[in-house]
Amino acid sequence: LAGMLDPCRKMSNVFSRMKRSGVSINRIFELIDQKPRICDPPDPRPLPRLSRCLEFDNVTFTYPAGSGAPHRGPALRHLSLRVQAGEVVAIVGPNGCGKSTLINLLPRFYDCDSGEIRFDGTPISLAALDDLRRQIAVVTQDTILFDGTVYENIAYGSPHATEEAVEQAAAQAYVTPILSSLPHGIHSRIGERGKELSGGQRQRLALARAILRNPALLVLDEATSAIDNESAALIHRALRSYCEGRTVLLVTHSMTPTLLEFVTRIVVMDDGQVLATGTHEQLLGSCVVYRRLFQATDDLRVVA
Ligand code: ADP
Ligand code: MG
């Protein structure tokens, strides 16, 4: 009797655990079974690597109602923009003017309400999602890292990358200097969501991950916002050679001298539209919003 008591008690535990897992499993299956709103077209067109130009043609986009923020009308309004392959374009503009929204439309996280985005003339909505997303790497302000090693986090988007390539990407994004302070170098674990690293260090890791993917289109959405000015300048210098033969969109709220060396053209956005495009000198002369943005960051630097 005494010998049977313990196994019986354990059995009852198993039963309650099974019931609880059942509930969780149902919730997980519900999520897995959801049909994505964005899917492949029935007969996808081929989408070769971006080599001529990227176009936003009269794009209007409104966030679906009930997706968090109160309904406020279109985030992008009749926006047209043409970027030649190989350009490094900075997109600047005040908070909430639609810069990130513009970026989110590129990998088709959302589809435009009207208008079209074209890669070398092919509308992205007519191509397979895989073909499109393989060409794009996006680094955002909020990095998404996993509880693994630095190495695993960098190689996450490119499972077939060689060790040498991973190390090279780490060097280009200035991850290498971080490694000396970690116990096992590149094979150190970084904790859940990378909590053992600082904000700037996490952004560098995300950048290395993007570099390793070898994208035709590299998108940096305030990707160096948490990195100190000196390291950001080093990264921009390192990126200059890497970006040859690639197209780069760089969203930023502050133009620094090293950024000006890096970018070939600046696009000023305001209120869901493109206000002006041109070089730094042209815009300083002609665009009031740009002058204000540039002066604002200038003042900040003086204070700092
Ligand atoms: P920026 O990156 O230029 O600061 P965003 O593109 O993030 O601006 O935002 C443009 C507008 O769209 C803002 O008014 C913002 O409130 C709204 N917006 C952004 N993301 C969402 C979302 N997921 N759902 C609803 N509205 C959003
Ligand atoms: Mg943004």
Side-chain angles (χ1 to χ4, degrees):
L1 210 58
M4 274 172 65
L5 208 61
D6 198 41
C8 282
R9 199 172 45 79
K10 280 189 183 145
M11 277 287 271
S12 71
N13 271 347
V14 168
F15 184 71
S16 76
R17 225 190 291 169
M18 252 164 59
K19 277 289 177 204
R20 241 182 300 160
S21 309
V23 175
S24 309
I25 283 173
N26 281 340
R27 284 168 61 184
I28 291 169
F29 282 167
E30 232 170 74
L31 196 71
I32 291 174
D33 286 344
Q34 274 192 14
K35 294 263 174 294
R37 223 179 342 215
I38 310 273
C39 40
D40 277 337
D43 190 13
R45 287 202 206 164
L47 194 73
R49 202 172 158 92
L50 181 70
S51 64
R52 295 197 309 275
C53 81
L54 162 70
E55 285 165 289
F56 293 85
D57 185 4
N58 204 11
V59 170
T60 297
F61 171 74
T62 314
Y63 279 99
S67 63
H71 216 58
R72 257 177 294 184
L76 299 176
R77 295 185 290 130
H78 302 289
L79 182 143
S80 293
L81 176 66
R82 208 183 144 90
V83 176
Q84 297 297 331
E87 272 192 293
V88 179
V89 174
I91 300 177
V92 296
N95 283 335
C97 72
K99 304 182 295 292
S100 301
T101 306
L102 185 75
I103 299 306
N104 284 340
L105 296 184
L106 281 171
R108 284 190 69 202
F109 292 153
Y110 299 94
D111 274 338
C112 345
D113 305 341
S114 65
E116 223 167 45
I117 300 174
R118 290 189 286 263
F119 267 49
D120 291 341
T122 307
I124 56 173
S125 54
L126 298 184
L129 280 175
D130 264 359
D131 288 348
L132 174 69
R133 291 180 180 169
R134 197 177 316 128
Q135 301 201 29
I136 308 176
V138 185
V139 186
T140 58
Q141 197 166 3
D142 321 303
T143 49
I144 299 167
L145 299 178
F146 304 102
D147 185 8
T149 63
V150 174
Y151 185 98
E152 287 161 354
N153 269 286
I154 295 177
Y156 172 71
S158 339
H160 303 296
T162 61
E163 201 165 327
E164 208 181 344
V166 174
E167 274 163 15
Q168 199 188 346
Q172 273 172 319
Y174 283 83
V175 171
T176 321
I178 306 171
L179 301 178
S180 56
S181 64
L182 295 175
H184 308 287
I186 202 163
H187 297 291
S188 314
R189 294 180 73 96
I190 58 170
E192 206 173 315
R193 293 171 191 234
K195 67 170 189 274
E196 278 164 39
L197 302 176
S198 74
Q201 291 174 332
R202 284 199 291 267
Q203 283 192 333
R204 293 195 227 180
L205 225 74
L207 192 63
R209 181 192 283 167
I211 287 176
L212 184 63
R213 286 196 56 216
N214 186 23
L217 178 63
L218 177 65
V219 178
L220 306 173
D221 188 354
E222 314 219 358
T224 50
S225 57
I227 300 176
D228 58 275
N229 277 349
E230 200 180 328
S231 311
L234 288 172
I235 290 174
H236 290 138
R237 290 225 173 87
L239 278 181
R240 233 185 321 168
S241 57
Y242 172 79
C243 289
E244 264 166 42
R246 289 169 218 279
T247 313
V248 183
L249 297 181
L250 186 149
V251 174
T252 174
H253 57 275
S254 68
M255 287 304 286
T256 56
T258 44
L259 255 182
L260 284 175
E261 283 172 33
F262 180 45
V263 303
T264 54
R265 190 155 62 103
I266 300 166
V267 172
V268 186
M269 279 185 69
D270 197 12
D271 201 15
Q273 289 174 312
V274 170
L275 205 62
T277 93
T279 60
H280 177 64
E281 285 75 24
Q282 286 167 347
L283 291 171
L284 271 187
S286 65
C287 181
V288 185
V289 173
Y290 183 72
R291 212 159 25 204
R292 216 161 39 212
L293 284 172
F294 189 72
Q295 271 166 4
T297 55
D298 234 22
D299 294 346
L300 281 180
R301 245 180 295 138
V302 172
V303 173

